[in-house]
Amino acid sequence: MSENSDRFEVAHLARCELFSPKPQETEDFFTRFLGMYVTQREGQSVFLRAYEDPYQWSLKITEAPQAGMGHAALRTTSPEALERRAASLKDGNVDTRWHEDEFGFGKTLSFQSADGHNLALVWEAEKYVAPPELRSKILTRPSKKPLQGIPVKRIDHLNLMASDVTAVKNGFERHLGFRTTERVVDGDVEIGAWMSSNILGHEVACMRDMTGGAGKLHHLAFYYGNGQHNVDAAEMFRDYDIQIEAGPDRHGITQGQFLYVFEPGGNRIELFGEAGYLHMDPDCPTQTWQMSDIDTGLAIGGANLPWETYFTYGTPSPLSLDQHIERFAHFGPGAEVPTMEPVGAV
């Protein structure tokens, strides 16, 4: 595993903003099916949290012409850690901006990954305090488990899509103190990297965009902690016409249980069952998978993660999801990547 003297300066993924061209349908997906609570509305945005998320919100849905990620923020382990990470970014000539304009969070440092993803670091975070009717008798649970849908517990991790996985990975290691737990290589090219700031298999991952695009979102994941919930959720999604991409199954990489779906706005969402392998060993080496073993790396149980979407579709996309699937229907290992020009372009 990659060594870094700045380990444990980042606590976890605190929040993520998703853009959606169908904001009401996207909100309904997260509230009706995943049981998330709405905590605030501002302008074209709505803020939500799962019942074990500690802060005022973990998900922000903002109306926009295209699906995609507005930004993602990681919380540091202390105010001093935030300042040290800011200094590291500055020393690395990464452009940064301090601001304080997000509901429930204070001083924020915004910057971009090497591939153009909008990221942020925060320390000051307002803890969620439930109204009397939502207070749980379980003291470690900020609010009651909802009686709607198959409720997720918390935000889990973020998977970015990039033209250069190594550059993004190096930035997380150098400036944020992340360690790379597992990676996939195809010859000398890194196809994917799974990075962690704590004992989880990953808080942030990055996969190569085989279409050559940059700065996209691959998926945002929410945690169940129970594989049966993924099975129950899959049945629910089938009944209510939510498009399932793959699963339920278990990854070889991280050993986490997965179910991938597309929310109505077009963003890929992963439902994480059991968390998988926990990295208790402080100097565990990075595990390197070969692209030739990618089927086992992605799905131990035999599910096929479709090449027409999983390795090529990220948001924002010049094509709608249906158009993308049609355009990439025959794409696979060794095949030429189809053009990404919008349908109807001359």
Side-chain angles (χ1 to χ4, degrees):
M1 186 175 295
S2 49
E3 295 182 3
N4 195 315
S5 60
D6 297 321
R7 287 259 308 277
F8 310 122
E9 295 266 81
V10 172
H12 67 139
L13 176 66
R15 70 183 197 224
C16 185
E17 178 184 22
L18 292 182
F19 290 151
S20 174
K22 300 178 180 180
Q24 187 58 59
E25 293 179 48
T26 298
E27 178 184 333
D28 290 346
F29 169 84
F30 285 102
T31 54
R32 290 183 61 210
F33 300 129
L34 301 190
M36 296 184 74
Y37 292 114
V38 172
T39 57
Q40 179 85 340
R41 294 184 188 275
E42 290 181 2
Q44 301 303 109
S45 298
V46 59
F47 300 80
L48 304 94
R49 57 175 296 280
Y51 67 96
E52 288 193 354
D53 278 321
Y55 313 128
Q56 289 287 351
W57 61 279
S58 61
L59 174 65
K60 178 181 180 180
I61 300 167
T62 299
E63 183 175 2
Q66 287 183 297
M69 184 182 78
H71 79 279
L74 301 148
R75 192 179 183 211
T76 60
T77 52
S78 69
E80 294 79 15
L82 175 59
E83 296 297 336
R84 287 191 291 268
R85 295 308 94 225
S88 179
L89 289 162
K90 181 179 179 180
D91 290 345
N93 296 316
V94 177
D95 291 333
T96 60
R97 178 175 70 91
W98 288 104
H99 56 101
E100 190 171 339
D101 52 11
E102 287 286 4
F103 164 63
F105 290 90
K107 184 179 178 182
T108 301
L109 181 71
S110 290
F111 61 101
Q112 288 191 329
S113 76
D115 215 67
H117 306 95
N118 293 324
L119 303 170
L121 294 174
V122 298
W123 161 249
E124 298 169 356
E126 182 181 337
K127 298 297 177 64
Y128 176 78
V129 178
E133 67 274 14
L134 291 181
R135 289 176 189 164
S136 174
K137 294 179 181 179
I138 301 170
L139 298 184
T140 53
R141 184 171 288 172
S143 55
K144 290 179 179 178
K145 185 176 182 179
L147 299 176
Q148 180 165 290
I150 312 292
V152 290
K153 287 190 173 187
R154 59 169 172 78
I155 194 171
D156 190 84
H157 67 265
L158 178 70
N159 193 314
L160 305 173
M161 214 169 187
S163 60
D164 187 340
V165 169
T166 301
V168 173
K169 180 199 75 173
N170 288 346
F172 272 88
E173 290 184 347
R174 175 182 175 185
H175 301 303
L176 305 185
F178 274 64
R179 50 183 179 162
T180 299
T181 59
E182 300 184 65
R183 67 185 191 127
V184 177
V185 298
D186 187 5
D188 294 329
V189 179
E190 284 190 304
I191 301 299
W194 285 257
M195 301 167 285
S196 182
S197 60
N198 48 46
I199 66 170
L200 295 179
H202 65 313
E203 287 278 328
V204 178
C206 185
M207 290 178 54
R208 185 167 181 260
D209 186 341
M210 293 191 176
T211 71
K216 295 180 184 178
L217 170 69
H218 189 270
H219 67 261
L220 178 64
F222 291 84
Y223 178 72
Y224 279 129
N226 186 324
Q228 182 61 45
H229 290 340
N230 273 3
V231 176
D232 296 337
E235 293 181 1
M236 175 178 67
F237 293 140
R238 288 291 187 199
D239 268 342
Y240 289 91
D241 298 319
I242 298 297
Q243 188 168 350
I244 296 174
E245 181 183 33
D249 205 324
R250 182 188 294 272
H251 292 302
I253 298 166
T254 76
Q255 296 187 43
Q257 294 174 325
F258 70 84
L259 170 64
Y260 290 105
V261 300
F262 295 103
E263 57 86 12
N267 294 297
R268 181 189 285 104
I269 302 298
E270 182 180 17
L271 286 313
F272 223 47
E274 295 177 7
Y277 186 78
L278 299 180
H279 291 269
M280 306 292 191
D281 181 355
D283 61 352
C284 179
T286 300
Q287 301 298 323
T288 297
W289 295 74
Q290 300 298 320
M291 192 62 180
S292 56
D293 298 321
I294 194 64
D295 287 344
T296 302
L298 293 180
I300 297 175
N304 293 318
L305 274 70
W307 281 72
E308 64 267 25
T309 53
Y310 195 78
F311 297 97
T312 58
Y313 180 80
T315 51
S317 171
L319 304 176
S320 70
L321 178 58
D322 288 343
Q323 291 169 342
H324 185 101
I325 291 172
E326 181 180 358
R327 183 75 59 85
F328 284 78
H330 303 294
F331 178 65
E336 183 177 347
V337 179
T339 175
M340 285 293 288
E341 290 182 0
V343 173
V346 178

